[in-house]
């Protein structure tokens, strides 16, 4: 008999169809229920009948991964009709023809073509219909999953009667739609909670997190985990078994109290809503919409849940937040193929051995991340053995954390650990293909390290400096091989921050640039290539923001008020907390570089000097604007006000936001006009991934477009009148406002 935990039985399916049909979305178009632009067949499926088991292979032509396009869904439905009428077929296996991908999800490009909520609702409704046809198919269908099974791909797999996944590291199952400002729209909000329980399902849906096969098996998301080499064989045997014996009875999912009682589920919904608001500040509507779709489905029935699902999907798909997040998705996807120069203009080298000079927090993070993601032989160097040992321990901790989370097996852990080594001299540097310098932010120290490295390495070894503000050309001014030198600016903590700025000089060779970009991508970073200007892009636009924070503090604006205003705006942390995180000594050093380069408008307030005079470095020594206990923030240190010679006084939150935000927007416009970034796309991605500029706002340059250059200029003039020349509008903004120009097409 069929599993009772499924969304619909054959009997209730008809009832659900009638209920859903009554809420079928209407585009107002006389056309058939299929979107006219996607009616051509995709030729994506092939069929192989082996002794009554039909193996259906999905291999979308011309695409690196399988996507559930509208055409592919239509083809699948036609194939199901064919199999339904074929009496020689007793069971079906759905498998992928792609090497490391089952189904990556729906076709996001179809979402961008939608112009109305009704069209988006219909797209979701059609996906629900296709998936429901799989679920109610009268012959057992087994999903044979190898590689990514995400979004619509998992929704389709959930409708299959049995799921088998491989133990390959690339096999991951998840519903990441909230990361695009959407919700699962093909029944995922209904089937997943019924399969694994409300709590576990909400944990996956609301975070968009994907699970590996072993965890999916523990959750009950898949029925078996096997080696990739026997996937088809085991899946065919399972389809045959189900055809003869019926689907196995599954245990009821989750906790009896929290998942299977009304009172318990209400507690789960309430706690989930609380966590969503805490994490998103209410700026992202998709998680709340997903929670509601799950709640309606579990409390009011499947038909009502599906109707709420496609309604919410339609509303979100044409909303501003989803549009922004989808634009970011396309931008980051494009950057994965962008080497910084036109294709064919350079030949990248394979980096097999890496050396890192400086084993502090940054150097150790670079080393550990490189070993973990690239599996490259890595050597750390520092001036003292104790520092080397501490750096190796920090790098090793990244591997240990993966082992504890079962992301690495013990043999993998041992093999990767063996790639890490360290010393106080340059032994082994002769074999290095790439050397990354991560020493203190001091020009003379960096020049000395470069000279020492050049004397030890091969002539073709690439040297990259991790400076955050110092122009690369200054560091390389006395270099023997300037064509092999560039900047690779990582962000702290390296293992978590997704951005890497690669900074070539005019002398850097194309081969060197492309090699660095590709190595950065192998480390798991989103890479933008930026011009060799002080502060590059991220710290260039961050500097006036932090400087203005110093001015606010010097005026007595309360620390917590400043941070609350900007976290409410959407930043992950406030600017005062960020100063503590960066380190006040590092921030002062960077501020001096920026003032030397850009003059009075970049002059920092005296706040940091006073703090450093009292040996307050921030989190690193447990003394900053905040108190720290065991490395964790423990409230504002109110003695700071006495140190700064001010009395905290209330301030207008709107004015705080304007001063901080418009300082950054103005600088972004200036830097973009100077071609510090190659495109507005790179600038916005850099701001979002490098400093946490709110993704739902699209980035500083897109925000200027949304506000209108004229309005931005008007606000800057008002701030200039109140607070001085540092708010003088950028010339490029004035020009844009006169010509009604934009950074992006309207």
């Amino acid at each position: 008999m069929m599993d009772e935990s499924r969304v619909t039985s054959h009997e209730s399916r008809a009832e659900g169809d009638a209920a859903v049909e009554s809420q079928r979305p209407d585009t107002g178009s006389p056309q058939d229920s299929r979107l006219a632009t996607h009616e051509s067949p995709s030729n994506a499926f092939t069929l192989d009948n082996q002794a009554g088991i039909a193996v259906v292979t999905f291999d979308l032509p011309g695409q690196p991964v399988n996507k559930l396009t509208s055409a592919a869904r239509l083809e699948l439905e036609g194939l199901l009709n064919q199999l339904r009428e074929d009496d020689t077929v007793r069971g079906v296996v759905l498998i992928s023809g792609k090497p490391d991908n089952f189904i990556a999800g729906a076709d996001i490009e179809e979402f961008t073509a939608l112009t109305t909520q009704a069209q988006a609702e219909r797209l979701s409704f059609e996906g629900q219909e296709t998936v429901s046809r799989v679920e109610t198919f009268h012959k057992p269908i087994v999903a044979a999953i190898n590689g990514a099974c995400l979004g619509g791909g998992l929704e389709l797999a959930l409708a299959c009667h049995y799921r088998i996944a491989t133990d390959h590291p690339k096999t991951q199952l998840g519903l990441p739609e909230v990361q695009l400002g959407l919700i699962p729209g093909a029944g995922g909000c209904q089937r997943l909670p019924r399969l694994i329980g409300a709590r576990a399902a909400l944990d996956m849906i609301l975070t968009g997190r994907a699970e590996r096969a072993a965890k999916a098996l523990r959750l009950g998301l898949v029925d078996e985990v096997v080696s990739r080499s026997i996937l088809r064989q085991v899946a065919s045997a399972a389809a045959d078994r189900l055809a003869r014996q019926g689907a196995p009875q599954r245990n009821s999912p989750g906790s009896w109290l929290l998942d299977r009682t009304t009172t318990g589920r209400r507690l789960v919904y309430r706690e989930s809503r609380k966590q969503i608001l805490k994490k998103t500040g209410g700026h992202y509507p998709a998680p709340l919409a997903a929670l509601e779709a799950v709640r309606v489905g579990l409390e009011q029935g499947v038909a009502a849940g599906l109707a709420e699902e496609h309604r919410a999907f339609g509303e979100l798909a044409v909303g501003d937040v989803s549009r922004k997040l989808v634009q970011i998705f396309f931008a980051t996807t494009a950057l994965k193929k962008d080497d910084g120069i036109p294709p064919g203009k350079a030949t990248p080298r394979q980096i097999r051995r890496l050396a890192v000079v400086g084993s502090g927090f940054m150097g150790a993070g670079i080393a550990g991340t490189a070993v973990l993601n690239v599996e490259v032989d890595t050597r750390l160097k520092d001036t003292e053995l104790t520092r080397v040992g501490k750096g190796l321990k920090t790098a090793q901790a990244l591997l240990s954390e993966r082992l504890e989370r079962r992301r690495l097996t013990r043999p993998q852990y041992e093999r990767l650990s063996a790639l890490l080594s360290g010393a106080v001299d340059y032994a082994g540097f002769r074999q290095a293909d790439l050397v990354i310098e991560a020493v203190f932010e001091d020009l003379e120290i960096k020049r000395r390290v470069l000279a020492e490295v050049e004397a030890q390495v091969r002539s073709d070894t690439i040297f990259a400096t991790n400076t955050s503000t110092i122009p690369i050309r200054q560091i390389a001014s006395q270099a023997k091989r300037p064509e092999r030198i560039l900047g690779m600016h990582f962000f702290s903590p390296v293992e978590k921050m997704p951005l890497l700025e690669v900074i070539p000089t005019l002398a850097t060779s194309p081969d060197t640039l492309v090699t660095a970009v590709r190595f950065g991508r192998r480390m798991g970073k989103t890479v933008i290539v930026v011009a060799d200007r002080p502060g590059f892009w991220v710290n260039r636009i961050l500097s006036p923001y932090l400087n203005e924070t110093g001015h606010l503090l010097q005026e007595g604006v309360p620390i917590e008020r400043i941070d609350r205003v900007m976290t409410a705006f959407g930043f992950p942390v406030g600017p005062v907390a960020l100063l503590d995180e960066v380190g006040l000594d590092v921030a002062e050093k960077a501020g001096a570089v920026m003032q030397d380069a850009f003059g009075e408008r970049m002059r920092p307030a005296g706040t940091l000097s006073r703090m450093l005079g009292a040996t307050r470095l921030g989190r690193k020594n447990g003394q900053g604007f905040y108190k720290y206990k065991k490395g964790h923030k423990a409230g504002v240190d109110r003695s700071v006000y006495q140190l700064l010679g001010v009395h905290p006084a209330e301030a207008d939150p709107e004015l705080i936001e304007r001063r901080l935000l418009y300082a950054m927007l103005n600088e972004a416009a200036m830097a973009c006009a100077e071609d510090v970034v190659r495109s507005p796309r790179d600038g916005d991605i850099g701001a979002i991934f490098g400093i946490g500029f709110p993704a739902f706002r699209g980035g500083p340059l897109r925000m200027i477009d949304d506000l209108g250059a004229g309005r931005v200029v008007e606000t800057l003039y008002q701030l200039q009148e109140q607070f001085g020349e540092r708010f003088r509008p950028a010339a490029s903004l004035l020009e844009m406002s006169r010509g009604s120009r934009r950074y992006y097409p309207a």
Side-chain angles (χ1 to χ4, degrees), residues 517-579:
V517 168
R518 293 199 180 182
F519 185 75
R521 286 207 295 262
R522 290 176 67 201
M523 287 183 69
K525 303 303 178 186
T526 295
V527 183
I528 60 172
V529 176
V530 301
D532 186 24
R533 298 274 292 162
F536 316 123
W537 171 255
V538 170
N539 282 331
R540 168 77 179 270
I541 67 173
L542 184 63
S543 290
Y545 175 78
L546 295 181
N547 284 350
E548 199 60 29
T549 301
H551 287 295
L552 288 166
L553 290 167
Q554 209 162 256
E555 294 166 17
V557 179
I559 293 167
E560 63 271 31
R561 170 58 63 91
I562 297 171
D563 280 352
R564 274 203 302 266
V565 165
M566 297 318 291
T567 54
F569 177 78
F571 280 95
V573 297
V576 186
L578 180 61
L579 282 167

Side-chain angles (χ1 to χ4, degrees), residues 349 351 353-358 366 379 381 426 429 431-467 470-490 500-505 507-509 511-517 519 532 536:
R349 288 174 49 203
I351 301 299
R353 291 182 177 85
L354 170 69
V356 180
V357 182
I366 292 168
R379 190 163 184 82
K381 185 223 177 271
Y426 287 100
F429 272 57
Q431 287 75 43
D433 302 302
L434 169 65
V435 176
I436 299 178
E437 165 267 299
V439 301
F440 191 65
E441 192 77 348
D442 182 280
L443 177 59
E444 292 309 316
I445 294 176
K446 289 181 179 291
R447 281 176 173 168
R448 186 175 72 245
V449 168
L450 171 57
E452 292 174 357
V453 169
E454 283 195 315
Q456 299 291 331
V457 300
R458 304 188 312 266
S459 60
D460 64 344
T461 298
I462 295 171
F463 179 92
T465 172
N466 183 51
T467 178
I470 303 172
I472 313 303
R473 64 183 179 276
Q474 292 183 13
I475 297 172
S477 63
Q478 301 166 19
K480 296 177 182 177
R481 294 180 288 274
E483 73 280 2
R484 298 290 182 191
I485 298 172
L486 79 175
M488 291 180 72
H489 178 211
F490 294 87
L500 170 65
E501 289 181 311
V502 172
I503 311 106
T505 69
T508 303
S509 72
D511 290 0
T512 298
L513 172 59
V514 172
T515 299
V517 168
F519 185 75
D532 186 24
F536 316 123

Side-chain angles (χ1 to χ4, degrees), residues 114-134:
L114 302 170
T115 58
T116 68
Q117 179 174 338
Q119 287 178 338
E121 286 188 34
R122 185 173 294 281
L123 189 66
S124 171
F125 181 86
E126 290 170 356
Q128 291 175 351
E129 289 288 276
T130 299
V131 171
S132 291
R133 288 187 175 95
V134 171

